[in-house]
Amino acid sequence: MAAPEDGAAPPAEVLETIQLEHVPLTHTVHIGVFKDVTNSEFLHQQLLSRNAEYEYAFIDASSVISRFQVLAAIYKAITIQLNGNMKTPNIHSEIVCSLSPNNNISEAYRRFGITPASKHLIIVKVLISSSSSLTPDAVAQHLQTNVQGTPIPFTEAALQSELTDYAKVRKYYKLNSVSWLDGVADETLRRREAEMLVLGGMALRSL
């Protein structure tokens, strides 16, 4: 992955950098969100061919209900990696699987990872200082160059208004059987309760 050319302004706005609590400083998290992506088929193929330049967690944003859901999956994947217990090829595929409420890896890829039909993407890159010389600017440049979509902020407002497919979230996390959820009249409260159920499902996966 090439670094930005000298003199070129790095597209920092493409990425949000997050230092998670209780995670070593060797691990920094960088998240970009792209809507209306038109080359998901190409990006998916890069993953299938194990192209190292495309080693990211490509998450289908329609299956995400909140920022915290993604951050929880990232934290869990980093913990698994640090403990040497990964069941997938790398920390980025581990992030995708950590979104799932069950241990079926192929299903997790299919439901929460990128597919050729994915329209909106949340893209995560974990840089580990002991094993990577990449910089956030280089990652941002690579994404801006190779993801054919519109970068938007990774905010709750963006998820709520444009990205989340609630029917899909309810199906994947088996929320359709939670009859009391539909009885919550306040939309904000209903979403918060759904988020807690999603996080609970993710946490129970490892038990």
Side-chain angles (χ1 to χ4, degrees):
M1 185 186 303
E5 294 179 3
D6 291 342
E13 69 279 0
V14 172
L15 285 183
E16 176 182 353
T17 297
I18 300 172
Q19 185 64 56
L20 294 176
E21 293 184 10
H22 311 300
V23 167
L25 294 177
T26 52
H27 291 58
T28 56
V29 176
H30 310 277
I31 303 177
V33 182
F34 291 80
K35 70 173 185 176
D36 301 324
V37 177
T38 59
N39 67 330
S40 289
E41 184 174 2
F42 166 79
L43 298 172
H44 183 248
Q45 187 57 47
Q46 303 316 300
L47 284 185
L48 294 180
S49 62
R50 302 286 182 91
N51 185 339
E53 289 196 353
Y54 290 82
E55 188 185 307
Y56 298 95
F58 286 102
I59 300 167
D60 191 314
S62 65
S63 62
V64 171
I65 196 171
S66 71
R67 276 175 58 96
F68 194 65
Q69 178 189 358
V70 175
L71 297 179
I74 295 169
Y75 179 80
K76 183 175 182 179
I78 291 175
T79 301
I80 291 171
Q81 185 260 346
L82 288 170
N83 291 335
N85 295 326
M86 290 198 301
K87 294 182 173 62
T88 66
N90 56 65
I91 195 170
H92 298 99
S93 52
E94 205 69 37
I95 291 170
V96 174
C97 287
S98 293
L99 288 164
S100 178
N102 62 56
N103 290 308
N104 188 321
I105 293 174
S106 61
E107 181 181 279
Y109 288 161
R110 187 169 62 253
R111 289 186 166 187
F112 300 97
I114 188 174
T115 72
S118 293
K119 184 178 180 183
H120 309 306
L121 295 174
I122 298 169
I123 305 174
V124 183
K125 184 71 172 182
V126 178
L127 294 180
I128 304 173
S129 60
S130 60
S131 60
S132 175
S133 59
L134 285 175
T135 66
D137 286 345
V139 172
Q141 183 69 57
H142 186 256
L143 290 177
Q144 189 170 62
T145 300
N146 294 284
V147 179
Q148 296 174 7
T150 303
I152 62 173
F154 181 39
T155 63
E156 299 292 350
L159 287 169
Q160 292 175 26
S161 64
E162 301 183 76
L163 308 183
T164 304
D165 182 333
Y166 293 101
K168 186 181 291 186
V169 171
R170 289 176 69 107
K171 176 183 177 181
Y172 292 171
Y173 290 96
K174 297 184 175 10
L175 302 187
N176 289 323
S177 61
V178 183
S179 56
W180 59 263
L181 190 60
D182 290 328
V184 180
D186 183 88
E187 184 177 347
T188 300
L189 179 58
R190 184 167 64 249
R191 183 186 180 90
R192 190 177 305 128
E193 293 288 356
E195 178 189 23
M196 291 300 102
L197 292 169
V198 165
L199 293 170
M202 290 166 56
L204 289 172
R205 170 179 175 261
S206 58
L207 297 181

